């Protein structure tokens, strides 16, 4: 077997593993989210199906797969059908450039757990993940529903605004490291907890975490499906697995964002004290996912005008100031 | 071989998407096909090992087309077909003529471009991003800085224009005449 053939097979296997793993994780994360919310808000959460409600996951899957796939009469049909796919596809594509674990050896063959090692990893992940905002936009515009249209208008506003903040926030650490490759960024932080970039760039870390909440459409900033204002937003007309596809995309985006934060700011997959690298990054990602849910349980929704105020009058000047100070210090 | 397959795949997709953009009567189809085509173009950059340009293509154009969607949302009912009035046939014919000349130029360009030499050739030890940075901060430093300052000015003025109404809450009014009447 030639080495080219081996490369093709290895790439295909990695792609399949990413798709299968993160679709399954999306389902599992919904269960975890409901459980954590229940603990924090003194409710029960899923309890009936299986021990401790674990089989609720399976029940939800069966429900989503067997529900009737309704396509309303006046929608723009092709776009309406494509929109949920965009959410899932772009979230999975963004994961292609993320180094998930350190290198390891399997049957004498060194496996690099990254699908495509592009030299500009950070930009690639940010750019492709931002494409996933087309999904609510197209869903809202094609479903000929006024709530949907409002949701897509909000999607435009939210994405275009917070794209600026997250880009500026990432610029400062990149200026220090001098490389756009996620592997280089990870290798810069070799040498324990003291070398993490969060200690050098605390402001950039806070700004970036706030921005990814908006970009992954998570609760304090989920204006797109704000139930009390716009019913269910872009998802109003969707049913069954098409609706589920949006959530596979959303949860996959959450995982991508968590990997990005832990790689850039929290030391990546370098060993931490006695913990090996692969376990360290899994722990960091788990904590960040828990943090996403913690914030959802603790904070109320905000209004669109508050979101814009926060973005343009607080976060943007702070991000610019951070870049300026980093530049002066580096000089 | 894989490069050839990928090249023809992306060419077919891009050409198909852009023809949908031009020929479709529905504004939503056109804009979505435009967004798709712009993203598929980045595939060519990746094939030519210009990853930076490819990623920038995705980031810049996905945002730009997003702004186009906002205009489409304001001006059209996107679920209906747009009826164009083509009363002035002369403009149409002139534009078609122009496009025909443009196509001839595009086809002729590789023949003329065969004897172009790069003033800043790629060096093997420097990566993509470094090479771009080198050219940008030596030869094109002044235009680059000018563009950056202009963008910053535009951004700040945009924020100031909008921020007059940002302090004013849409939902909370201190004195609402209707509520007082009730």
């Amino acid at each position: 077997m030639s080495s080219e053939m081996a490369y093709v097979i290895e790439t295909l296997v990695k792609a399949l593993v990413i798709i299968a793993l993160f679709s399954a994780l999306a389902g599992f994360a919904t269960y975890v989210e409901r459980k954590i919310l229940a603990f924090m808000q003194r409710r029960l959460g899923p309890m009936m199906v299986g021990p401790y409600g674990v089989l609720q996951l399976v029940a939800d899957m069966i429900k989503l797969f067997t529900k009737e796939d309704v396509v309303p009469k006046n929608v723009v049909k092709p776009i309406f059908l494509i929109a949920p796919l965009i959410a899932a596809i772009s979230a999975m594509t963004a994961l292609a450039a993320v180094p998930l674990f350190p290198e390891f050896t399997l049957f004498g063959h060194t496996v690099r757990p990254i699908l495509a090692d592009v030299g500009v990893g950070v930009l690639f992940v940010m750019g492709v993940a931002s494409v996933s905002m087309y999904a609510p936009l197209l869903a809202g515009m094609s479903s000929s529903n006024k709530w949907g249209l409002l949701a897509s208008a909000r999607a435009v506003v939210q994405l275009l605004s917070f794209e600026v903040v997250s880009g500026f926030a990432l610029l400062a650490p990149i200026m220090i490291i001098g490389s756009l490759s996620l592997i280089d960024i990870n290798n810069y932080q070799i040498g324990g907890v003291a070398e993490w970039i969060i200690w050098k760039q605390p402001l950039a870390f806070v700004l970036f975490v706030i921005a990814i909440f908006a970009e992954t459409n998570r609760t304090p900033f989920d204006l797109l499906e704000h139930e009390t204002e716009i019913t269910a937003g872009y998802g109003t007309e969707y049913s069954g697995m098409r609706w589920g596809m949006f959530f596979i995309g959303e949860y996959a985006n959450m995982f991508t964002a968590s990997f990005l934060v832990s790689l850039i700011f929290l030391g990546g997959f370098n060993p931490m004290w006695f913990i090996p690298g692969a376990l360290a990054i899994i722990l960091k990602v788990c904590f960040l996912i828990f943090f996403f849910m913690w914030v959802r349980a603790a904070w109320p929704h905000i209004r669109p005008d508050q979101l814009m105020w926060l973005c343009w009058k607080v976060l943007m000047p702070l991000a610019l100031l951070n870049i300026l100070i980093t530049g002066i210090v580096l000089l | 071989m894989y490069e050839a397959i990928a090249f023809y795949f992306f060419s077919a997709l891009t050409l198909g998407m852009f023809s949908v953009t031009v020929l479709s009567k529905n504004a939503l189809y056109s804009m979505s096909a435009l967004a798709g085509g712009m993203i598929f173009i980045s595939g060519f950059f990746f094939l030519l090992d210009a990853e930076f340009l490819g990623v920038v293509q995705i980031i810049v154009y996905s945002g730009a087309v997003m702004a186009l969607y906002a205009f489409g949302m304001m001006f059209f009912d996107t679920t209906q077909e747009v009826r164009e009035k083509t009363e002035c046939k002369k403009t149409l014919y002139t534009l078609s003529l122009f496009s025909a000349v443009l196509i001839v130029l595009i086809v002729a360009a590789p023949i003329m471009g065969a004897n172009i030499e790069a003033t800043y050739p790629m060096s093997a030890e420097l990566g993509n991003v470094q090479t771009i940075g080198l050219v940008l901060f030596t030869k094109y430093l002044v235009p680059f800085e000018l563009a950056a300052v202009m963008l910053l000015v535009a951004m700040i003025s945009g924020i100031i224009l909008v921020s007059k109404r940002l302090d004013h809450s849409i939902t909370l009014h201190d004195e609402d005449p209707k509520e007082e009447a009730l």
Side-chain angles (χ1 to χ4, degrees):
Chain A
M1 195 166 65
S2 64
S3 66
E4 200 165 302
M5 205 55 203
Y7 172 75
V8 171
I9 290 174
E10 191 189 329
T11 311
L12 281 177
V13 168
K14 279 183 200 168
L16 278 178
V17 165
I18 286 184
I19 292 173
L21 188 70
F22 282 92
S23 309
L25 272 180
F28 185 64
T30 51
Y31 168 76
V32 173
E33 173 150 32
R34 283 160 77 181
K35 258 329 203 195
I36 291 177
L37 285 186
F39 284 130
M40 287 192 173
Q41 299 172 341
R42 292 197 182 177
R43 299 184 290 184
L44 281 177
M47 285 297 280
M48 296 298 190
V49 195
Y52 215 62
V54 177
L55 291 180
Q56 183 68 43
L57 194 64
V58 182
D60 280 342
M61 285 283 189
I62 294 170
K63 185 186 83 178
L64 280 180
F65 271 111
T66 51
K67 244 184 188 176
E68 190 190 353
D69 183 19
V70 183
V71 179
K73 197 181 164 196
N74 284 328
V75 299
V76 185
K77 208 174 169 194
I79 309 274
F80 185 82
L81 301 184
I82 289 171
L85 290 178
I86 293 177
I89 290 173
S90 64
M92 299 293 174
T93 313
L95 276 166
V98 178
L100 301 174
F101 301 118
E103 290 180 5
F104 60 92
T105 315
L106 197 71
F107 307 123
H109 178 74
T110 311
V111 181
R112 305 180 68 208
I114 175 170
L115 186 54
D117 183 13
V118 285
V120 286
V122 183
L123 277 182
F124 183 87
V125 177
M126 294 299 297
V128 177
S130 76
V131 172
S132 70
M133 270 293 199
Y134 273 118
L137 177 74
L138 289 176
M141 282 180 84
S142 65
S143 61
S144 76
N145 175 317
K146 60 182 170 183
W147 308 123
L149 196 65
L150 276 176
S152 53
R154 288 177 172 198
V156 174
V157 165
Q158 193 168 314
L159 176 72
L160 287 182
S161 310
F162 277 87
E163 189 89 315
V164 176
V165 175
S166 66
F168 277 154
L170 278 188
L171 213 54
I174 287 170
M175 277 162 74
I176 294 180
I177 298 160
S179 170
L180 287 168
S181 159
L182 279 168
I183 296 179
D184 284 352
I185 292 175
N186 174 69
N187 291 344
Y188 180 84
Q189 307 174 69
I190 289 176
V193 180
E195 293 292 315
W196 289 5
I197 291 185
I198 183 173
W199 311 125
K200 291 180 185 165
Q201 289 288 341
L203 186 59
F205 173 73
V206 174
L207 291 176
F208 186 65
V209 168
I210 294 176
I212 61 169
F213 268 92
E215 283 190 28
T216 53
N217 187 21
R218 288 294 299 177
T219 279
F221 303 140
D222 72 335
L223 299 170
L224 277 58
E225 39 169 329
H226 199 181
E227 281 160 27
T228 48
E229 284 175 13
I230 48 174
T231 344
Y234 62 90
T236 314
E237 301 287 355
Y238 281 88
S239 69
M241 206 48 217
R242 292 192 190 283
W243 184 84
M245 205 76 96
F246 281 119
F247 285 85
I248 289 179
E250 185 180 320
Y251 282 97
N253 264 334
M254 264 166 68
F255 279 103
T256 316
S258 307
F259 268 108
L260 215 54
V261 172
S262 35
L263 278 170
I264 296 173
F265 292 101
L266 300 178
F269 48 74
N270 296 309
M272 206 164 71
W273 304 304
F274 59 92
I275 306 170
L279 194 62
I281 193 163
I282 289 177
L283 285 176
K284 285 167 200 164
V285 169
C286 285
F287 172 74
L288 283 165
I289 294 288
F290 172 72
F291 181 70
F292 269 108
M293 287 154 191
W294 186 5
V295 171
R296 175 170 181 175
W299 292 86
H301 290 283
I302 64 168
R303 294 195 310 266
D305 58 318
Q306 286 172 326
L307 186 81
M308 289 299 102
W309 175 85
L310 180 74
C311 177
W312 291 110
K313 290 185 94 176
V314 182
L315 301 183
M316 232 275 293
L318 279 178
L320 281 176
L321 205 68
N322 193 28
I323 290 174
L324 189 70
I325 294 171
T326 314
I328 291 171
V329 169
L330 280 180
L331 277 178
Chain B
M1 186 190 77
Y2 294 114
E3 269 120 24
I5 295 173
F7 176 77
Y8 286 112
F9 176 71
F10 279 117
S11 326
L13 274 176
T14 314
L15 287 178
M17 282 294 172
F18 284 138
S19 20
V20 171
T21 311
V22 178
L23 298 175
S24 163
K25 280 186 177 163
N26 188 321
L28 195 53
Y29 286 161
S30 294
M31 286 187 293
S32 311
L34 183 67
M38 286 297 181
I39 289 169
F40 288 134
I41 280 184
S42 75
F44 295 115
F45 287 113
F46 280 107
L47 279 181
L48 293 170
D49 284 332
E51 297 127 0
F52 184 76
L53 284 182
V55 172
V56 166
Q57 168 88 16
I58 294 179
I59 292 178
V60 169
Y61 282 102
S62 68
V65 178
M66 191 78 83
L68 256 185
Y69 272 107
F71 284 116
M73 221 182 282
M74 285 188 265
F75 296 140
F76 301 111
D77 178 358
T78 44
T79 53
Q80 304 294 318
E81 288 193 346
V82 179
R83 286 196 190 149
E84 282 178 280
K85 283 189 221 158
T86 45
E87 283 169 0
C88 189
K89 290 272 168 71
K90 271 182 193 167
T91 324
L92 198 68
Y93 292 143
T94 322
L95 283 177
S96 324
L97 202 70
F98 263 119
S99 346
V101 172
L102 206 64
I103 289 176
V104 173
L105 279 180
I106 290 170
V107 173
I111 304 168
M112 295 173 58
N115 47 11
I116 285 179
E117 278 180 36
T119 37
Y120 289 88
M122 290 277 288
S123 54
E125 65 262 34
L126 285 182
N128 229 300
V129 189
Q130 282 95 332
T131 316
I132 289 174
L134 207 66
V135 178
L136 215 54
F137 288 106
T138 51
K139 194 182 179 192
Y140 298 106
L141 181 65
V142 178
F144 177 74
E145 293 287 335
L146 273 179
V149 170
M150 268 168 65
L151 268 177
L152 190 67
V153 168
M155 199 180 265
I156 291 174
S157 45
I159 295 168
I160 289 171
L161 277 178
V162 176
S163 65
K164 285 176 195 157
R165 272 179 293 167
L166 279 185
D167 291 328
H168 176 78
S169 165
I170 301 168
T171 43
L172 298 171
H173 292 283
D174 291 331
E175 46 223 333
D176 202 339
K178 275 181 196 165
E179 284 198 352
E180 276 174 21
L182 290 169

